[in-house]
Amino acid sequence: HDPQDSQAIVVTLDEAALARKLDAAANYPELAGEVAQAVSAFGRQAFAALFQPVDLVQRIVATVDSLPRETAPQRMMPPKPVRAVFAVSGSGEEFVLDAKNFARYEPYVKALAAVDPKALVAAYVHAYPLFQRAYRDLGYPKGHFNDRLLAMIDDMLAAPEVEAPIKLLRPKVLYEFAGPDLETRSAGQKAMVRMGPANAAQVKAKLREIRKEIIAASEARRQELVRVQCSGHAGRDPVHE
């Protein structure tokens, strides 16, 4: 993405305040107001049914960081595990991904499709110090979470559109894609393939909308900082210190 995309979410907030907010957001329903606002973008009922409430900020940050990589630990993901058994067709050493498998992802896709991108990104901007602090704690003291979020979105958008049948292998307990072009892709892209083309198309459409809003918010914050600096009253920027 364009480097200016990451002129990112500028928030003037000291480290002590960040620590207090992160502590407040650690346990649901005692979420910090900023995180609660982000949750409300999904709707309370959908969130309670589909997402893990504990350590929400840390889960989001860890998942955003890992999805563009080869593996993404399920135990750290914000969504609850997908229900029903992974569906395959075939026997012996010949397996293909069964279309019945796609229905497992539909509740999550439906919840995402219902989200207002503007409201979600507004909540994200408001809560950004929490995400930035958690990203630093993950091991990136000089990194910017907004950069990583955009990189994750771009990676998901680059997921291939694969036509059926999608061949699988089962070398051990878990199934793998038979084609190396799929199996060597990122965890996020493989998830897009597993959810099926119709679901993936909806997710990509929503990700494009969210990306657009993030960039607009980032640019608005950058311009705000420029105005403050020009007025001679610039605040401290904990994101780019």
Side-chain angles (χ1 to χ4, degrees), residues 5-206:
D5 291 353
S6 62
Q7 289 300 323
I9 311 298
V10 178
V11 182
T12 52
L13 196 66
D14 63 52
E15 290 294 329
L18 280 174
R20 289 194 299 271
K21 286 171 179 258
L22 195 61
D23 289 341
N27 295 298
Y28 186 88
E30 299 173 359
L31 290 170
E34 292 88 344
V35 180
Q37 185 180 354
V39 168
S40 68
F42 281 88
R44 288 283 176 178
Q45 186 174 358
F47 179 84
L50 300 175
F51 292 89
Q52 306 275 8
V54 179
D55 298 327
L56 179 61
V57 172
Q58 292 90 332
R59 287 177 180 275
I60 292 172
V61 170
T63 299
V64 166
D65 182 56
S66 62
L67 281 177
R69 306 184 191 279
E70 185 176 350
T71 60
Q74 179 68 49
R75 61 183 177 81
M76 285 304 297
M77 289 189 176
K80 294 178 181 178
V82 176
R83 295 180 179 180
V85 178
F86 184 71
V88 300
S89 301
S91 59
E93 297 183 359
E94 298 289 332
F95 301 100
V96 296
L97 186 64
D98 196 311
K100 295 177 183 177
N101 187 65
F102 305 154
R104 302 165 69 226
Y105 297 89
E106 288 177 358
Y108 302 89
V109 175
K110 183 179 180 180
L112 179 63
V115 168
D116 179 352
K118 286 184 178 294
L120 181 65
V121 173
Y124 165 64
V125 171
H126 197 54
Y128 186 76
L130 296 173
F131 294 104
Q132 177 61 19
R133 177 63 179 270
Y135 189 59
R136 290 180 178 179
D137 291 345
L138 195 62
Y140 305 101
K142 296 183 179 180
H144 308 310
F145 178 70
N146 202 55
D147 290 357
R148 191 59 178 167
L149 177 59
L150 288 170
M152 184 218 73
I153 291 174
D154 289 344
D155 181 72
M156 300 280 277
L157 291 175
E161 298 178 8
V162 184
E163 295 184 1
I166 301 174
K167 295 183 179 181
L168 304 173
L169 298 175
R170 195 177 190 183
K172 296 181 180 179
V173 177
L174 302 178
Y175 290 95
E176 298 178 357
F177 291 112
D181 179 58
L182 290 182
E183 186 56 33
T184 57
R185 287 182 177 268
S186 68
Q189 291 190 13
K190 286 190 285 189
M192 295 286 275
V193 174
R194 285 195 296 271
M195 71 177 62
N199 287 331
Q202 291 189 66
V203 171
K204 286 184 177 183
K206 185 62 67 172

